[in-house]
Amino acid sequence: MKLNHFTDFSMRVLMYLDQKKETPLSSLDELAAAFKISRNHLIKVVQFLSANQLIHTKRGKNGGIIISDKAREIPLGDLIHLLEQDDSPVVNCNSKPCIFQSQNCKLKSLFNTAYLAFLESLNKSKLSDLEFNNWNAMFQTT
């Protein structure tokens, strides 16, 4: 299964914010620089994460972005499903009308079962399970 770019960027942001212990606040510019991702792409990600209470944002001089307790507690499968924003992300028989749809095709059902197993497997972990031992070294500039 391939996750969309939005999910990828969202997971990077959440993992980054989860690792920040000493200075928990981050800015969009800091995130964009750390991941070499366009600030414009991150705005959409941060807005979605904030709207779903996975992060908290504060504007102004002492503002920034911080991870929420909800993001730290949500099982990864549920988080991925939320970020993918699609109830049947593997096969969509209606996106381009499929000639097999009227013939009792079982492909979508099989993929949906596999997707649910994928999410169930991920639900055994949380963001804290994704910690890195060499976190600070990863973002040092040379």
Side-chain angles (χ1 to χ4, degrees), residues 57-105:
T57 60
K58 182 180 174 188
R59 292 180 183 231
K61 182 181 176 196
N62 296 319
I65 304 163
I66 190 168
I67 193 165
S68 71
D69 290 337
K70 177 182 177 181
R72 286 191 165 118
E73 296 302 317
I74 189 171
L76 286 180
D78 293 345
L79 179 58
I80 295 296
H81 184 68
L82 173 68
L83 295 172
E84 282 294 299
Q85 303 175 54
D86 190 349
D87 286 330
S88 56
V90 183
V91 173
N92 183 349
C93 299
N94 297 320
S95 66
K96 291 184 178 178
C98 178
I99 61 168
F100 300 123
Q101 196 169 9
S102 63
Q103 302 303 314
N104 197 23
C105 177

Side-chain angles (χ1 to χ4, degrees), residues 73-81 115-126 129:
E73 296 302 317
I74 189 171
L76 286 180
D78 293 345
L79 179 58
I80 295 296
H81 184 68
Y115 177 67
L116 293 175
F118 170 73
L119 294 178
E120 186 178 319
S121 174
L122 286 173
N123 273 339
K124 296 174 185 171
S125 302
K126 295 181 181 174
D129 296 318

